[in-house]
Each structure stands twice: as C-alpha cells, then as structure tokens.
C-alpha cells in the first residue's frame, strides 16, 4: 500500500511535516540542496543527499533506503528533478512545493550543521 495517493507528486510543507517530523513518521524528508545550503540551514531530522550526487549515481543514504521519500530543496525546482530521478529508480517519492523557503516561512524549524538556529541560503 502506498503512503502517497496515486497521482500525487507534490505536497505542501504542512503535509511534508506531517509525514516526516515524528520519530515514527512513515516517510523521510530528503534534502537535495548542495553542501553549503545544507550547512546553513535544514529541517531537523532531514536526510542529506545532494541532487548532484543523485544525478551522478550515488546511492541514497541508508536512512532513506526502502522508505517513502518527501524531497525538498530551496524553492521546489531541484526537488522536482530529484523526485523524477528517484521515481525512475523505483522509489516512492513526492516533492515539497516551495521548498525550504516555504518550510521556514510556515514557521517550521531550521537548524545549521551544528544544530543551532539556521537560515536558508
């Protein structure tokens, strides 16, 4: 049974948070931005896998393998590319409309690479 309804390929930040933020959440929030963006600020609990690596054929991190994925980037464009790529590889994927900008604007937490309050680069 699929976590994502048939035909659903994008979700709001509220839906992304609902599906990924709890310890027993059914999906993984996969951040596909580049290293400097991740270091500046990301959602707590997100898993990092830059789009450039995915395009180059790098495998998903262990925490994201065989789990439904909610893919996020800064604004929603790279996450769409990543979602298409990962779907073609057989993953169950949706991407987040508006990306980390929308996440932060909605008041969800953003932390830097040290766990302090972060920003969206």
């Amino acid at each position: 049974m699929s976590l994502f309804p048939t035909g659903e390929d994008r979700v709001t930040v509220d839906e992304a948070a609902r599906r990924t933020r709890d310890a027993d959440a059914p999906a993984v929030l996969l951040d596909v931005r580049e290293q400097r963006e991740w270091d500046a600020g990301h959602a707590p609990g997100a898993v990092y896998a830059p789009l450039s690596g995915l395009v180059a054929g790098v495998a998903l991190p262990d925490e994201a393998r065989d789990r439904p994925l909610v893919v996020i980037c800064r604004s929603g464009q790279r996450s769409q590319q990543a979602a298409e790529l990962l779907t073609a590889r057989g993953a169950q994927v949706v991407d987040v409309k508006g990306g980390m900008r929308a996440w932060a604007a909605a008041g969800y937490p953003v932390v830097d690479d040290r766990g302090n309050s972060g920003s969206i680069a």
Side-chain angles (χ1 to χ4, degrees):
M1 184 169 150
S2 174
L3 174 67
F4 308 128
T6 302
E8 180 182 46
D9 57 357
R10 304 199 84 195
V11 296
T12 65
V13 292
D14 292 332
E15 186 63 19
R18 186 184 70 75
R19 294 181 186 185
T20 64
R21 285 191 69 210
D22 296 329
D24 60 347
V28 172
L29 186 62
L30 187 72
D31 192 318
V32 298
R33 296 174 301 145
E34 294 305 316
Q35 187 71 54
R36 69 171 183 74
E37 295 171 292
W38 168 264
D39 291 346
H42 55 271
V47 174
Y48 177 60
L51 178 59
S52 59
L54 295 174
V55 168
V58 173
L60 285 171
D62 289 343
E63 309 93 322
R65 290 187 189 156
D66 300 319
R67 303 237 351 243
L69 303 171
V70 177
V71 182
I72 196 164
C73 66
R74 185 180 59 187
S75 64
Q77 292 184 342
R78 286 175 284 178
S79 61
Q80 284 183 295
Q81 293 174 337
E84 290 173 10
L85 177 73
L86 293 166
T87 297
R89 293 181 184 174
Q92 188 180 356
V93 186
V94 295
D95 83 288
V96 181
K97 296 177 203 172
M100 285 301 296
R101 287 181 174 167
W103 179 274
Y108 290 108
V110 175
V111 296
D112 67 13
D113 62 337
R114 293 176 209 88
N116 300 316
S117 182
S119 63
I120 307 305

